[in-house]
Amino acid sequence: MAVNIHSNPTTKDAKNDVFNNEVSIEKAAGSRLYTNDGDDYIDLSSQSAYQLIGHNIKEVQDAIIEATKNGEQLSNLQYSNQKVIELSNKLLEKLADQTQWHILFTQSDAEAIDLAIRQIYDFWHAKHENQRRIFLTFAYANHSTATSCINLNASFKNHNPYEDFLIPVEHLPYPDTWHLDQNIERKEEIALKRLDEYLEKNHLRCAGLIVEPLLQTHDGMQACRPNFLNQAFRLVKSYRLPIIADERYLSPMRSGRFLACQYLNTAPDIIVMGNNLTNNTIPLGTIITDTRIIDQLNLKQGHKDRINHLACIAASKTIDILSNRLNNDYITRLQDVHAKRLRQLHKQPIVKNIRYLGSIGAFDIICEDRSKQAQLIDWFYKSSTDKKLLIQRHEKNVCISPPLCLTIDDLEQSYDIIEDIMQNMPLQYITNCVDNDAL
């Protein structure tokens, strides 16, 4: 039987497909991506280029290679294994109250978020409150396209065929904010009022709240203030509802702290981490659960609990690197560069809504003449690529999220290039724009 394979011979076959096939990546190292023509690019989109610390980090790769020499890639480790105990202890050391948490590992981050949701349902089942089915979440969240999560993503509009068997969800207003946002108090007031009203009427039907702490990753970076989440968490907990922090994107360390929820005064009940913990070399999911939840489930670590041997080794080495080199102090230095350069960039007439957290900075490019918006975005991203910066494309947002190994000088250089691009923008894109107030 003939097989029809659709292909476009004019499209470059990029090994990394997040840059719209503008370049064909041959190899990568650190914060650099290299083409087969010998050009090198600075990677400013590590949230989609698959590496947290950087590409092909020697310490991580060497640890994995050494393990494969002994055939360890073929084995899964029990939780009682010394290597797993050491990894768990390294994670617990990053938490404020080490006795409060129970750690489980899964074969992928999709499995981890699925298990976290099941833990909440099992928690209510143990309490004989099976009517609690509804999960609360915020509009425009991005909790992946795993079957258990599709309904959580209100912005994706791709779940209608599955409504009959998906998790029931109530989407709440999300008060995204930015530097010099004049309306943030009003937006937060509306969101908290809606949450309060919904809980007052429906709390007995609610299972819990699931959030991406501080930054939502759909279509760029949407930020909220820690104080807002503190108030929302306290309100949810006043109705005895558990909270899941989906930290698969921000953690570990992208936010400037090992966990983004460590910026908050009120802790979640379950924390989910993903493949970042292995520097995205081996699939791994991690669920950190409050023992008060686990005690209700009567769970114990048994002989069926396993973690992939190579994932365990890669995760342990990644944590070592984050503790010794790419630690809080270094990420704070990256954040200081974002803050300084984004404020400077904000003086450009088309740059709006600057925001930053840890290693991540973002801004919007918006023109009053919306008929030229798509052309403007095309021009910016093409100009960036031409100047050897690779930034994942969004409709209006520019999200700078480099691997954590990016040097301070390279980040400064990247902003120099972006500023030069803005200063040389064709007049057709700026004549209809509204100027920002100079800072």
Side-chain angles (χ1 to χ4, degrees), residues 350-376:
I350 65 165
V351 175
K352 315 286 185 181
N353 305 340
I354 64 171
R355 59 266 190 203
Y356 50 87
L357 178 68
S359 65
I360 308 163
F363 58 93
D364 295 348
I365 299 179
I366 302 175
C367 192
E368 189 179 69
D369 185 352
R370 297 307 172 90
S371 67
K372 296 180 180 179
Q373 179 73 22
Q375 299 174 40
L376 172 60

Side-chain angles (χ1 to χ4, degrees), residues 25-262:
I25 303 303
E26 180 67 20
K27 60 182 180 179
S31 61
R32 292 296 198 277
L33 299 168
Y34 300 88
T35 69
N36 51 15
D37 298 324
D39 292 330
D40 67 280
Y41 294 77
I42 297 178
D43 176 12
L44 295 181
S45 291
S46 66
Q47 81 274 19
S48 292
Y50 316 119
Q51 251 62 30
L52 169 73
I53 295 174
H55 302 276
N56 294 316
I57 298 300
K58 187 176 187 303
E59 298 99 312
V60 178
Q61 299 293 345
D62 285 351
I64 294 173
I65 291 170
E66 185 62 30
T68 59
K69 290 180 180 178
N70 301 320
E72 294 174 355
Q73 75 275 15
L74 304 176
S75 65
N76 290 322
L77 301 178
Q78 295 186 15
Y79 284 10
S80 58
N81 184 280
Q82 186 59 35
K83 292 179 181 178
V84 183
I85 294 172
E86 290 176 1
L87 173 58
S88 297
N89 287 338
K90 287 179 181 180
L91 287 169
L92 288 172
E93 287 173 1
K94 302 297 183 181
L95 304 173
D97 185 352
Q98 298 180 23
T99 63
Q100 180 183 343
W101 303 100
H102 177 93
I103 298 176
L104 290 171
F105 299 104
T106 64
Q107 298 299 317
S108 69
D109 57 5
E111 186 179 347
I113 192 67
D114 182 73
L115 178 57
I117 291 170
R118 295 200 327 260
Q119 282 185 344
I120 297 299
Y121 281 142
D122 289 341
F123 171 78
W124 290 118
H125 179 75
K127 288 178 168 290
H128 306 289
E129 297 188 47
N130 294 327
Q131 81 284 358
R132 294 183 178 271
R133 309 304 298 170
I134 300 172
F135 266 92
L136 306 172
T137 189
F138 291 110
Y140 302 102
N142 181 10
H143 295 289
S144 84
T145 55
T147 301
S148 60
C149 299
I150 293 176
N151 219 24
L152 298 170
N153 304 325
S155 52
F156 288 97
K157 308 293 185 185
N158 64 351
H159 55 272
N160 290 335
Y162 321 115
E163 283 182 338
D164 290 342
F165 61 88
L166 291 181
I167 294 171
V169 173
E170 178 65 22
H171 295 99
L172 303 163
Y174 182 74
D176 58 318
T177 190
W178 47 82
H179 182 58
L180 300 181
D181 183 1
Q182 301 298 313
N183 299 314
I184 182 56
E185 285 82 7
R186 179 57 179 160
K187 289 187 290 186
E188 290 178 347
E189 179 185 350
I190 292 172
L192 290 169
K193 182 179 179 182
R194 172 60 181 155
L195 174 60
D196 189 20
E197 290 175 346
Y198 188 83
L199 286 173
E200 184 178 1
K201 296 179 181 179
N202 301 284
H203 64 275
L204 292 177
R205 299 169 54 225
C206 292
L209 170 71
I210 180 168
V211 299
E212 293 177 276
L214 298 182
L215 296 181
Q216 293 194 159
T217 56
H218 173 62
D219 195 26
M221 185 182 84
Q222 313 302 328
C224 72
R225 299 196 300 184
N227 186 56
F228 165 75
L229 280 188
N230 282 328
Q231 294 181 72
F233 279 22
R234 286 195 293 269
L235 182 55
V236 169
K237 283 181 175 285
S238 71
Y239 287 95
R240 300 184 302 111
L241 296 177
I243 299 170
I244 299 174
D246 183 356
E247 301 227 10
R248 289 174 295 168
Y249 167 61
L250 273 182
S251 295
M253 202 57 76
R254 268 204 177 110
S255 69
R257 301 190 182 179
F258 193 80
L259 298 170
C261 61
Q262 290 172 331

Side-chain angles (χ1 to χ4, degrees), residues 2 9 12 134 429:
K12 295 180 180 179
I134 300 172
Y429 297 132

